[in-house]
Amino acid sequence: MSTTSINQPGDNAAAPPSADDEMEQIRELLIGEQQRRSTARIDKLEARLKEFEEDVARRFDALAARIETLGQETTAGRRAAFEELSRGIGELGERMRNLSQS
């Protein structure tokens, strides 16, 4: 019977972990859960920020549309007021001519 060592070539057993692998395992044990929670919180905050940005953009668009509507209404109102003023001045001029001819 022959005996084989654990690290003998051709052996299907896993190689011992390297120092980097061991450090990664230790890091995972020490801060892995906290890192996952922090990542989850950051993801939630990023989602909320995106929703906020979209909401602000929608509100801004609605505000811009409202300002445009108010501007058009103001322009139309101003135009109507000038037309009324123009008619009033025309009527006043006509009355003054009628009075001066009498």
Side-chain angles (χ1 to χ4, degrees):
M1 290 190 174
S2 71
T3 60
T4 59
S5 83
I6 294 177
N7 293 329
Q8 192 173 29
D11 191 6
N12 290 337
S18 69
D20 289 340
D21 291 339
E22 288 177 355
M23 288 303 295
E24 184 60 35
Q25 289 174 351
I26 292 170
R27 187 178 298 116
E28 174 64 26
L29 289 172
L30 292 175
I31 62 170
E33 181 61 28
Q34 182 178 357
Q35 185 176 11
R36 284 187 289 279
R37 281 185 282 166
S38 295
T39 301
R41 287 184 68 204
I42 289 170
D43 291 343
K44 286 180 184 177
L45 287 172
E46 286 175 344
R48 288 179 60 194
L49 179 60
K50 183 178 178 182
E51 289 174 7
F52 178 73
E53 288 172 343
E54 291 170 354
D55 184 47
V56 167
R58 277 192 306 272
R59 289 180 181 208
F60 181 76
D61 290 343
L63 181 60
R66 180 67 179 141
I67 289 171
E68 180 66 27
T69 300
L70 288 173
Q72 290 172 354
E73 290 173 0
T74 301
T75 300
R78 201 175 315 143
R79 187 175 299 129
F82 282 131
E83 289 173 2
E84 181 66 29
L85 183 60
S86 177
R87 277 194 300 273
I89 291 173
E91 289 174 5
L92 180 60
E94 186 63 34
R95 286 184 186 169
M96 289 174 65
R97 274 189 238 120
N98 288 339
L99 286 174
S100 66
Q101 292 177 357
S102 323

